[in-house]
Amino acid sequence: MSELLALLNLKFTRQLGNRRIRRLVEHFGNAQEALKAKLADLRGIEGMDSRVLQHLGSSEAAARAALELERARKVGVRLLGLTDPDYPRALRALSDPPAVLWVRGDLPMLEVVPKAIGVVGTRKCSAWALQFARSLSRDLTQAGVMVVSGLARGIDTAAHQACIEAGGVTVGVLGSGVDNIYPSENRRLVPQMVLVSEHPLGTRPMSHHFPERNRIIAALSAGSVVIEGEVTSGSMITAHAALECGRTVFAVPGRAGDPLAAGPHKLLREGAVLVEGAEDILLEMGWKSLPKLDLQLPEEQARIYTALDAPRTLDDVLVLTGMDAGEAQVNLMMLTLSGVVMELSGGRYARV
């Protein structure tokens, strides 16, 4: 029996989760030896009670493992077991790393602290948050950073799309099998990205899978940035998972009183790093700064563009630039028409 097949066997064993599999592998050196072990040796391992032992080495688990390995081979999905040299070292930051990882696409080698950032937020986000996610992911990509997210609607999709358009590598962590894309409209992105999952092929998206996958997003990233989300949102689960595995948490401030800003504001009060752009992340992580863009703007427009280092109202622009209202409005309109600035809700303006 190969090591991968042995790990799949353990994966499909009833009552045996990722933590117990890790203990078995660490105790016996690999999954093959764990399956050969005598009951007396197994009973001394934490969590290996009679409920587990009665299922260990079952013919049912062995049959499912063999079938899954063959299915993956036929559809071109790569399986990475916990003991595989190519298994992402970054996932070892978790107390319960996936025993087997299903991979669709070319997953780069990921060090213990990879040059990657998780970009997460709510599905029902504001137009401003969508645009921020796009510009942040684009700028991170241009600085050589991999973008990780969950392929959900809203912030996740915007982050993946922007990374793809900028020619970068983006990883989507699924709460389903890598052959079961949810939401379905994101199938168009799949050929241009990498998908990973801890679930077998054919697994449907289920509500309890999504909090579990968030810990993988956190571990595959050196840090995770929360753009919008309520205090109880899934993106907050990602942030807490990031803290648990020693990663950095970033948060984007929003408007006071906005329920979608409640999550990031709570994180900021608890010590998260404030993010107004990719530069904040790059500086915090010790990565190189963004290249300065030479937009060759007229002097008045350049002054306004410089002032828009965060979403600003017209009054903010007047204070920061010293322009009169008429002059500022004309130049804001020219910047908007040229596509380098966008108008947001609430009379605010931001860089694209």
Side-chain angles (χ1 to χ4, degrees):
M1 181 185 293
S2 71
E3 176 66 7
L4 178 56
L5 195 58
L7 277 166
L8 279 170
N9 192 314
L10 294 177
K11 165 75 178 177
F12 290 127
T13 297
R14 296 181 188 181
Q15 304 290 332
L16 196 62
N18 289 317
R19 282 186 175 85
R20 285 170 172 162
I21 293 174
R22 182 175 192 170
R23 290 187 197 120
L24 284 171
V25 169
E26 289 177 347
H27 184 86
F28 292 104
N30 58 52
Q32 296 173 83
E33 291 302 316
L35 284 172
K36 295 176 185 176
K38 297 178 180 179
L39 284 177
D41 295 326
L42 289 165
R43 287 195 180 99
I45 300 172
E46 182 184 356
M48 299 303 293
D49 54 30
S50 58
R51 293 177 306 163
V52 178
L53 294 177
Q54 66 178 323
H55 298 296
L56 197 63
S58 71
S59 57
E60 177 189 2
R64 287 190 65 189
L67 179 61
E68 186 68 21
L69 197 59
E70 180 61 19
R71 289 179 66 192
R73 185 190 65 78
K74 286 182 178 178
V75 298
V77 169
R78 187 182 184 193
L79 300 184
L80 291 176
L82 186 60
T83 54
D84 192 308
D86 292 335
Y87 185 89
R89 295 175 64 197
L91 288 181
R92 301 188 189 280
L94 295 170
S95 61
D96 60 342
V100 178
L101 201 65
W102 280 254
V103 181
R104 184 172 174 181
D106 296 323
L107 183 66
M109 291 295 291
L110 299 175
E111 295 302 319
V112 176
V113 181
K115 191 173 183 182
I117 291 292
V119 180
V120 296
T122 183
R123 291 168 172 81
K124 298 180 179 179
C125 56
S126 66
W128 172 81
L130 275 179
Q131 184 55 44
F132 187 91
R134 292 188 191 103
S135 60
L136 179 71
S137 298
R138 177 201 62 206
D139 292 346
L140 288 172
T141 300
Q142 291 174 346
V145 179
M146 188 175 77
V147 172
V148 183
S149 196
L151 202 63
R153 292 188 179 97
I155 298 298
D156 293 17
T157 297
H160 290 308
Q161 182 73 62
C163 183
I164 290 168
E165 291 173 352
V169 176
T170 184
V171 175
V173 184
L174 304 189
S176 60
V178 293
D179 59 338
N180 200 336
I181 309 304
Y182 177 82
S184 58
E185 62 264 25
N186 279 342
R187 289 173 184 161
R188 61 189 172 85
L189 301 179
V190 170
Q192 300 162 283
M193 60 187 298
V194 182
L195 300 181
V196 301
S197 175
E198 63 177 324
H199 301 292
L201 295 170
T203 302
R204 296 172 57 84
M206 302 179 71
S207 57
H208 66 276
H209 289 168
F210 293 99
E212 294 170 354
R213 70 93 192 267
N214 290 346
R215 82 190 195 290
I216 299 178
I217 294 174
L220 288 178
S221 311
S224 293
V225 54
V226 179
I227 295 178
E228 269 188 348
E230 297 180 351
V231 173
T232 57
S233 67
S235 53
M236 295 292 283
I237 295 174
T238 306
H240 293 143
L243 289 174
E244 287 175 4
C245 57
R247 307 309 199 202
T248 304
V249 174
F250 300 92
V252 179
R255 288 182 293 179
D258 183 350
L260 294 179
H265 286 177
K266 183 176 188 296
L267 293 173
L268 289 168
R269 286 193 293 271
E270 293 172 351
V273 179
L274 187 147
V275 171
E276 292 183 316
E279 192 77 13
D280 296 318
I281 295 173
L282 297 173
L283 290 173
E284 178 68 23
M285 300 309 300
W287 298 333
K288 66 179 183 180
S289 298
L290 289 170
K292 300 300 182 183
L293 297 178
D294 182 13
L295 297 176
Q296 297 183 334
L297 298 171
E299 181 182 351
E300 295 81 4
Q301 292 180 30
R303 285 164 58 194
I304 292 176
Y305 188 84
T306 299
L308 296 177
D309 55 350
R312 308 285 188 189
T313 64
L314 175 60
D315 288 342
D316 294 333
V317 172
L318 298 182
V319 171
L320 292 168
T321 64
M323 294 182 181
D324 61 49
E327 182 183 17
Q329 286 176 321
V330 168
N331 284 290
L332 274 169
M333 181 181 68
M334 296 303 296
L335 286 167
T336 303
L337 290 173
S338 63
V340 297
V341 166
M342 68 177 295
E343 186 173 2
L344 308 173
S345 61
R348 297 175 301 158
Y349 296 86
R351 299 176 187 175
V352 173

